[in-house]
Amino acid sequence: MWGTIGRVAAIYASLGALWWVAINATRTATGCGDWPCLYPTLGAYLLVTVVTLLAAVPLLRRVDVGRAPRVALAAAAVLLAIRGFGEAVPASPSQVTEILRAGLAFTVAGTAGAVLSAPGLAARWRVLGWLVVLALPAAGIAVLWSRYGF
């Protein structure tokens, strides 16, 4: 099981770095950050993200991760929750920090997806894990609320 988790973490770390590079290339290609470019830019971001997450399934199969679609789907759900929490974390002016942050988010999501979809995991641990994942966006809202107030 630990070998599988390590392979999943490595794949998702590389996917996080690749995603960051693709998003920055998309941002540069659109060439504007104003309102007229909002919809095309968001559409391109969504397309890059979906393609990156879909690429995980064949990569996971390639390194012999059983139940690759289930692991990838769980990792995508965890990544969405991490993104919800990440809105409370201020952006860094350093690109190195941002690429490390993206790689870490993808790595944690992939690792959590592998653990939460492991066949030998007891149901109580699986439920507890998903409850923690579901609490992440709420924790982000709490952090924002405590920082800025409403």
Side-chain angles (χ1 to χ4, degrees):
M1 179 170 134
W2 293 108
T4 300
I5 292 172
R7 290 191 303 265
V8 171
I11 285 175
Y12 272 92
S14 61
L15 283 175
L18 180 66
W19 175 84
W20 184 86
V21 168
I23 288 295
N24 278 338
T26 302
R27 185 178 299 137
T28 303
T30 55
C32 62
D34 210 358
W35 286 104
C37 294
L38 179 65
Y39 294 123
T41 303
L42 287 177
Y45 285 3
L46 182 64
L47 181 66
V48 165
T49 303
V50 168
V51 167
T52 303
L53 293 175
L54 287 175
V57 176
L59 289 173
L60 291 172
R61 284 186 177 146
R62 186 122 174 112
V63 295
D64 297 327
V65 173
R67 305 170 92 183
R70 181 174 284 201
V71 171
L73 187 60
V78 173
L79 190 60
L80 184 62
I82 290 172
R83 178 67 181 149
F85 178 78
E87 288 298 318
V89 179
S92 171
S94 168
Q95 289 188 350
V96 173
T97 304
E98 289 299 318
I99 195 167
L100 289 174
R101 193 181 286 176
L104 180 64
F106 271 79
T107 303
V108 169
T111 304
V115 169
L116 291 173
S117 61
L121 188 65
R124 66 178 173 269
W125 293 112
R126 191 179 318 274
V127 168
L128 180 64
W130 282 113
L131 287 175
V132 168
V133 169
L134 289 173
L136 282 175
I141 291 170
V143 168
L144 285 174
W145 192 3
S146 69
R147 184 180 301 151
Y148 300 112
F150 287 103

